[in-house]
Amino acid sequence: MNNSFRRFNLKGILKVQTAFGLVAMAHNLRKICIKLHNQTMVT
């Protein structure tokens, strides 16, 4: 699941690394939220 992320629209390694970090952070936060939501639904 990539949340419709297809390419980097930036130039320069530092900008691409920053953009990738944000995409990865959003992905991980989404996984955490889903897991927490599923735990509250079970208990």
Side-chain angles (χ1 to χ4, degrees), residues 1 3 5 7-8 10-12 15 19-22 24-25 28-29 34-35 40-43:
M1 180 180 321
N3 294 324
F5 182 77
R7 71 170 79 172
F8 295 105
L10 305 167
K11 293 188 180 193
K15 291 180 182 178
F20 181 78
L22 290 172
M25 192 180 335
N28 289 329
L29 285 172
I34 290 170
K35 187 170 184 172
T40 57
M41 296 298 285
V42 172
T43 58

Side-chain angles (χ1 to χ4, degrees), residues 8-39:
F8 295 105
N9 294 325
L10 305 167
K11 293 188 180 193
I13 190 72
L14 184 59
K15 291 180 182 178
V16 170
Q17 286 175 339
T18 303
F20 181 78
L22 290 172
V23 170
M25 192 180 335
H27 174 76
N28 289 329
L29 285 172
R30 180 179 165 91
K31 288 189 342 184
I32 290 169
C33 289
I34 290 170
K35 187 170 184 172
L36 289 174
H37 179 70
N38 289 339
Q39 285 180 351

